[in-house]
mmCIF file of all heavy atoms in Angstrom:
data_model
loop_
_atom_site.group_PDB
_atom_site.id
_atom_site.type_symbol
_atom_site.label_atom_id
_atom_site.label_comp_id
_atom_site.label_asym_id
_atom_site.label_seq_id
_atom_site.Cartn_x
_atom_site.Cartn_y
_atom_site.Cartn_z
ATOM 1 N N LEU B 347 18.077 -33.414 -15.916
ATOM 2 C CA LEU B 347 19.494 -33.264 -15.571
ATOM 3 C C LEU B 347 20.316 -34.478 -16.116
ATOM 4 O O LEU B 347 21.457 -34.328 -16.548
ATOM 5 C CB LEU B 347 19.657 -33.222 -14.045
ATOM 6 C CG LEU B 347 19.020 -32.072 -13.352
ATOM 7 C CD1 LEU B 347 19.167 -32.216 -11.853
ATOM 8 C CD2 LEU B 347 19.661 -30.763 -13.809
ATOM 9 N N ALA B 348 19.662 -35.635 -16.076
ATOM 10 C CA ALA B 348 20.389 -36.884 -16.594
ATOM 11 C C ALA B 348 20.274 -36.906 -18.065
ATOM 12 O O ALA B 348 21.274 -37.160 -18.754
ATOM 13 C CB ALA B 348 19.694 -38.107 -16.013
ATOM 14 N N SER B 349 19.111 -36.516 -18.671
ATOM 15 C CA SER B 349 18.966 -36.627 -20.096
ATOM 16 C C SER B 349 19.841 -35.573 -20.779
ATOM 17 O O SER B 349 20.278 -35.731 -21.965
ATOM 18 C CB SER B 349 17.540 -36.574 -20.578
ATOM 19 O OG SER B 349 16.955 -35.373 -20.109
ATOM 20 N N ASN B 350 20.077 -34.478 -20.102
ATOM 21 C CA ASN B 350 20.943 -33.428 -20.662
ATOM 22 C C ASN B 350 22.453 -33.590 -20.257
ATOM 23 O O ASN B 350 23.242 -32.718 -20.481
ATOM 24 C CB ASN B 350 20.511 -31.978 -20.244
ATOM 25 C CG ASN B 350 19.125 -31.687 -20.784
ATOM 26 O OD1 ASN B 350 18.703 -32.254 -21.819
ATOM 27 N ND2 ASN B 350 18.403 -30.748 -20.185
ATOM 28 N N ASN B 351 22.688 -34.732 -19.619
ATOM 29 C CA ASN B 351 24.088 -35.042 -19.255
ATOM 30 C C ASN B 351 24.728 -34.049 -18.227
ATOM 31 O O ASN B 351 25.917 -33.812 -18.261
ATOM 32 C CB ASN B 351 24.989 -35.244 -20.431
ATOM 33 C CG ASN B 351 24.510 -36.416 -21.270
ATOM 34 O OD1 ASN B 351 24.226 -37.439 -20.757
ATOM 35 N ND2 ASN B 351 24.378 -36.208 -22.543
ATOM 36 N N VAL B 352 23.828 -33.421 -17.449
ATOM 37 C CA VAL B 352 24.427 -32.564 -16.361
ATOM 38 C C VAL B 352 25.051 -33.431 -15.381
ATOM 39 O O VAL B 352 26.152 -33.220 -14.869
ATOM 40 C CB VAL B 352 23.356 -31.656 -15.824
ATOM 41 C CG1 VAL B 352 23.916 -30.797 -14.688
ATOM 42 C CG2 VAL B 352 22.746 -30.732 -16.889
ATOM 43 N N ILE B 353 24.302 -34.433 -14.920
ATOM 44 C CA ILE B 353 24.813 -35.457 -13.939
ATOM 45 C C ILE B 353 24.366 -36.794 -14.435
ATOM 46 O O ILE B 353 23.424 -36.961 -15.207
ATOM 47 C CB ILE B 353 24.337 -35.200 -12.509
ATOM 48 C CG1 ILE B 353 22.817 -34.910 -12.477
ATOM 49 C CG2 ILE B 353 25.088 -33.996 -11.924
ATOM 50 C CD1 ILE B 353 22.329 -34.761 -11.062
ATOM 51 N N THR B 354 24.925 -37.845 -13.885
ATOM 52 C CA THR B 354 24.531 -39.196 -14.212
ATOM 53 C C THR B 354 23.238 -39.517 -13.484
ATOM 54 O O THR B 354 22.802 -38.889 -12.549
ATOM 55 C CB THR B 354 25.577 -40.223 -13.734
ATOM 56 O OG1 THR B 354 25.606 -40.204 -12.289
ATOM 57 C CG2 THR B 354 26.949 -39.950 -14.333
ATOM 58 N N MET B 355 22.541 -40.538 -14.010
ATOM 59 C CA MET B 355 21.301 -40.990 -13.392
ATOM 60 C C MET B 355 21.579 -41.361 -11.934
ATOM 61 O O MET B 355 20.779 -41.017 -11.036
ATOM 62 C CB MET B 355 20.731 -42.168 -14.133
ATOM 63 C CG MET B 355 19.423 -42.697 -13.699
ATOM 64 S SD MET B 355 18.071 -41.468 -13.855
ATOM 65 C CE MET B 355 17.454 -41.819 -15.524
ATOM 66 N N SER B 356 22.667 -41.928 -11.669
ATOM 67 C CA SER B 356 22.986 -42.436 -10.308
ATOM 68 C C SER B 356 23.127 -41.165 -9.362
ATOM 69 O O SER B 356 22.644 -41.170 -8.284
ATOM 70 C CB SER B 356 24.257 -43.266 -10.327
ATOM 71 O OG SER B 356 24.476 -43.748 -9.032
ATOM 72 N N ASP B 357 23.879 -40.156 -9.856
ATOM 73 C CA ASP B 357 24.056 -38.960 -9.082
ATOM 74 C C ASP B 357 22.707 -38.290 -8.807
ATOM 75 O O ASP B 357 22.481 -37.717 -7.739
ATOM 76 C CB ASP B 357 25.007 -37.992 -9.803
ATOM 77 C CG ASP B 357 26.473 -38.351 -9.606
ATOM 78 O OD1 ASP B 357 26.730 -39.212 -8.737
ATOM 79 O OD2 ASP B 357 27.298 -37.788 -10.293
ATOM 80 N N LEU B 358 21.911 -38.279 -9.894
ATOM 81 C CA LEU B 358 20.582 -37.669 -9.745
ATOM 82 C C LEU B 358 19.770 -38.347 -8.672
ATOM 83 O O LEU B 358 19.168 -37.658 -7.814
ATOM 84 C CB LEU B 358 19.917 -37.671 -11.084
ATOM 85 C CG LEU B 358 18.461 -37.214 -11.137
ATOM 86 C CD1 LEU B 358 18.315 -35.752 -10.791
ATOM 87 C CD2 LEU B 358 17.842 -37.444 -12.540
ATOM 88 N N ILE B 359 19.672 -39.681 -8.814
ATOM 89 C CA ILE B 359 18.898 -40.441 -7.793
ATOM 90 C C ILE B 359 19.458 -40.229 -6.377
ATOM 91 O O ILE B 359 18.760 -40.056 -5.409
ATOM 92 C CB ILE B 359 18.868 -41.983 -8.201
ATOM 93 C CG1 ILE B 359 18.145 -42.104 -9.500
ATOM 94 C CG2 ILE B 359 18.145 -42.725 -7.137
ATOM 95 C CD1 ILE B 359 16.710 -41.554 -9.605
ATOM 96 N N ALA B 360 20.774 -40.089 -6.291
ATOM 97 C CA ALA B 360 21.404 -39.943 -4.939
ATOM 98 C C ALA B 360 20.918 -38.599 -4.316
ATOM 99 O O ALA B 360 20.640 -38.576 -3.172
ATOM 100 C CB ALA B 360 22.915 -39.900 -5.139
ATOM 101 N N LYS B 361 20.742 -37.618 -5.147
ATOM 102 C CA LYS B 361 20.291 -36.288 -4.668
ATOM 103 C C LYS B 361 18.853 -36.318 -4.164
ATOM 104 O O LYS B 361 18.378 -35.340 -3.547
ATOM 105 C CB LYS B 361 20.477 -35.185 -5.707
ATOM 106 C CG LYS B 361 22.016 -34.845 -5.926
ATOM 107 C CD LYS B 361 22.158 -33.827 -6.939
ATOM 108 C CE LYS B 361 23.534 -33.767 -7.583
ATOM 109 N NZ LYS B 361 24.636 -33.380 -6.638
ATOM 110 N N MET B 362 18.124 -37.341 -4.532
ATOM 111 C CA MET B 362 16.702 -37.392 -4.126
ATOM 112 C C MET B 362 16.515 -38.650 -3.202
ATOM 113 O O MET B 362 15.370 -39.030 -2.957
ATOM 114 C CB MET B 362 15.783 -37.556 -5.324
ATOM 115 C CG MET B 362 15.886 -36.300 -6.222
ATOM 116 S SD MET B 362 14.604 -36.270 -7.556
ATOM 117 C CE MET B 362 15.422 -37.408 -8.734
ATOM 118 N N THR B 363 17.623 -39.256 -2.802
ATOM 119 C CA THR B 363 17.491 -40.445 -1.898
ATOM 120 C C THR B 363 18.488 -40.462 -0.793
ATOM 121 O O THR B 363 18.318 -39.919 0.295
ATOM 122 C CB THR B 363 17.539 -41.795 -2.715
ATOM 123 O OG1 THR B 363 18.803 -41.821 -3.439
ATOM 124 C CG2 THR B 363 16.383 -41.920 -3.644
ATOM 125 N N ILE B 364 19.678 -41.010 -1.077
ATOM 126 C CA ILE B 364 20.641 -41.252 -0.013
ATOM 127 C C ILE B 364 21.220 -39.977 0.561
ATOM 128 O O ILE B 364 21.480 -39.868 1.729
ATOM 129 C CB ILE B 364 21.750 -42.249 -0.453
ATOM 130 C CG1 ILE B 364 22.601 -42.704 0.686
ATOM 131 C CG2 ILE B 364 22.603 -41.674 -1.554
ATOM 132 C CD1 ILE B 364 21.868 -43.476 1.813
ATOM 133 N N ASN B 365 21.403 -38.941 -0.306
ATOM 134 C CA ASN B 365 22.058 -37.685 0.184
ATOM 135 C C ASN B 365 21.185 -37.044 1.231
ATOM 136 O O ASN B 365 21.636 -36.759 2.329
ATOM 137 C CB ASN B 365 22.333 -36.775 -0.979
ATOM 138 C CG ASN B 365 23.412 -37.312 -1.908
ATOM 139 O OD1 ASN B 365 23.928 -38.382 -1.726
ATOM 140 N ND2 ASN B 365 23.711 -36.551 -2.902
ATOM 141 N N PRO B 366 19.881 -36.768 0.983
ATOM 142 C CA PRO B 366 19.136 -36.218 2.025
ATOM 143 C C PRO B 366 18.941 -37.166 3.227
ATOM 144 O O PRO B 366 18.916 -36.708 4.406
ATOM 145 C CB PRO B 366 17.730 -35.956 1.406
ATOM 146 C CG PRO B 366 17.667 -36.743 0.153
ATOM 147 C CD PRO B 366 19.107 -36.886 -0.298
ATOM 148 N N ALA B 367 18.890 -38.494 2.966
ATOM 149 C CA ALA B 367 18.820 -39.443 4.097
ATOM 150 C C ALA B 367 20.017 -39.284 5.013
ATOM 151 O O ALA B 367 19.848 -39.302 6.237
ATOM 152 C CB ALA B 367 18.746 -40.855 3.558
ATOM 153 N N ARG B 368 21.174 -39.151 4.406
ATOM 154 C CA ARG B 368 22.390 -39.014 5.281
ATOM 155 C C ARG B 368 22.398 -37.658 6.023
ATOM 156 O O ARG B 368 22.770 -37.632 7.165
ATOM 157 C CB ARG B 368 23.629 -39.107 4.413
ATOM 158 C CG ARG B 368 23.956 -40.577 4.061
ATOM 159 C CD ARG B 368 25.203 -40.665 3.175
ATOM 160 N NE ARG B 368 25.403 -42.082 2.857
ATOM 161 C CZ ARG B 368 25.917 -42.512 1.686
ATOM 162 N NH1 ARG B 368 26.272 -41.634 0.777
ATOM 163 N NH2 ARG B 368 26.054 -43.821 1.439
#
Side-chain angles (χ1 to χ4, degrees):
Chain B
L347 297 174
S349 59
N350 295 337
N351 297 313
V352 176
I353 50 177
T354 63
M355 184 65 90
S356 183
D357 281 349
L358 173 62
I359 297 301
K361 289 179 199 294
M362 296 188 282
T363 55
I364 190 64
N365 294 0
R368 282 180 182 147

